């Protein structure tokens, strides 16, 4: 079966500390992968998407970066966190086929203090 | 630039009512449209996927329609239940399935009162 794993579930980090959030998918190959952020009471903002290994498209200039070292692994990083980086981060994948349904991980709640 | 809008932002109804949630998008060049449900503090659960060539999809008490030319979709929930209380999000896959972006509306927060 096709599953998506995202961790950690919650994270509290001090301002200026680094960040690494990981997302992996199972049961599929060559998925399109996405990172979203959802601020409190707001919709989902697309941060990055990737159509293949090493291919990253950035949607919003910011303090974050993304990498895709393997086909089914997508990592969101920051060298120095800001207070404004707090939010709910969601990873999603879409398999490029006839049934291009998107699936989401359970999210990471990041609080920068 | 593709923009997705959902109306209303919030909705409160008594149990048993039928209701309609609306979603509109500015660029009709979409590959598909998907409705999601989000419970507080949780990830997104896919409810219905409508391909650009389709007009509607049904799953249980849910029915979603798509009018691509007018840039509109509706999610119809029949005989609402308290367990339907959640935020409902629509998203369009803009462009192609190989390089497309999934663009979301702001969501409609639904409360169904017992």
């Amino acid at each position: 079966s096709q599953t998506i794993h995202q961790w950690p579930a919650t994270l509290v980090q001090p301002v200026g500390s680094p960040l690494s959030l990981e997302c992996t998918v199972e049961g599929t190959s060559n998925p399109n992968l996405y990172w979203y952020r959802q601020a409190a009471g707001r919709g989902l903002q697309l941060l990055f998407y990737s159509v293949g290994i090493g291919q990253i498209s950035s949607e919003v200039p910011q303090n974050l970066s993304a990498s895709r070292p393997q086909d089914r692994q997508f990592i969101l990083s920051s060298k120095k966190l800001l207070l404004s980086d707090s939010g709910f981060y969601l990873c999603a994948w879409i398999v490029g086929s006839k049934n291009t349904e998107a699936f989401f991980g359970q999210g990471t709640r990041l609080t920068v203090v | 630039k593709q923009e997705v809008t959902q109306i209303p932002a919030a909705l409160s109804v008594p149990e048993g009512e039928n209701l309609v949630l609306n979603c509109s998008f500015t660029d009709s060049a979409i590959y598909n449209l998907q409705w999601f449900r989000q419970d507080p503090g949780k990830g997104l659960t896919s409810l219905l996927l409508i391909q650009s060539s389709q007009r509607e999809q049904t799953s249980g008490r849910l029915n979603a329609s798509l009018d691509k030319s007018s840039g509109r979709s509706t999610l119809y929930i029949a005989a609402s239940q308290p367990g339907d209380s959640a935020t409902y999000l629509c998203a369009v896959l803009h462009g192609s399935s190989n390089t497309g972006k999934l663009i979301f509306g702001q969501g409609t927060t639904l409360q169904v009162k017992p």
Side-chain angles (χ1 to χ4, degrees), chain A residues 32 34 36 38 42-44 46 49 51 59 88 90 94 97-102 104-106 109, chain B residues 31-32 34 36 38 41-44 46 49 51 89 93 97-106:
Chain A
N32 290 352
Y34 302 78
Y36 286 86
Q38 187 176 35
R42 291 187 163 186
L44 275 74
L46 179 60
Y49 68 98
V51 299
E59 286 296 296
F88 191 48
L90 289 157
I94 297 176
S97 66
K98 288 184 179 180
N99 183 17
T100 53
E101 186 172 7
F104 280 78
Q106 286 302 301
R109 174 74 59 192
Chain B
Y31 197 81
N32 62 43
Q34 198 166 350
F36 295 88
Q38 185 178 31
K42 303 294 185 182
L44 276 66
S46 177
L49 169 71
Q51 301 290 354
L89 296 153
L93 186 60
S97 64
N98 290 329
T99 59
K101 305 174 191 178
L102 196 60
I103 307 297
F104 280 83
Q106 295 294 310

Side-chain angles (χ1 to χ4, degrees), chain A residues 37-93:
Chain A
R37 177 171 58 202
Q38 187 176 35
R42 291 187 163 186
L44 275 74
Q45 179 186 33
L46 179 60
L47 302 176
F48 301 94
Y49 68 98
S50 171
V51 299
I53 296 174
Q55 300 179 60
I56 308 295
S57 296
S58 174
E59 286 296 296
V60 182
Q62 58 205 318
N63 186 42
L64 303 169
S65 63
S67 62
R68 186 167 176 177
Q70 301 179 40
D71 181 46
R72 289 173 285 179
Q73 184 183 31
F74 203 22
I75 298 172
L76 183 69
S77 304
S78 174
K79 292 182 179 178
K80 290 185 178 181
L81 284 169
L82 305 173
L83 287 174
S84 58
D85 292 324
S86 294
F88 191 48
Y89 288 83
L90 289 157
C91 177
W93 66 269

Side-chain angles (χ1 to χ4, degrees), chain B residues 17-32:
Chain B
E17 271 202 10
N18 303 325
L19 55 100
V20 175
L21 307 182
N22 297 290
C23 173
S24 62
F25 46 95
T26 55
D27 189 339
S28 62
I30 65 169
Y31 197 81
N32 62 43

